[in-house]
Amino acid sequence: MLFRKDIEARCAYCARGAQLDGGSVLCKKKGVVAPGECCASFRYDPLKRIPPRPAALDMSRLRDEDFSL
């Protein structure tokens, strides 16, 4: 499986929506809506969803002993 099945439905990454300049989404079904809304005709578009950034590694807590066997 390439994508998770439990993706939250949001107009921000719906195939039927288009981003507007003010942060709103232009939906083909409902018109101008907030990016957090969704409707029954939601179709997931994986190219519109931006995944969260991975956590940065905190190297300041590591010592040389952590890397020796």
Side-chain angles (χ1 to χ4, degrees), residues 22-62:
S24 300
V25 176
L26 179 61
C27 178
K28 290 181 181 179
K29 296 284 185 176
K30 292 189 151 197
V32 178
V33 295
E37 292 184 28
C38 72
C39 63
S41 63
F42 173 78
R43 295 290 177 254
Y44 179 60
D45 184 2
L47 298 177
K48 290 186 178 181
R49 183 170 172 262
I50 301 171
R53 297 191 62 85
L57 179 61
D58 184 15
M59 297 291 287
S60 65
R61 299 185 311 170
L62 299 176

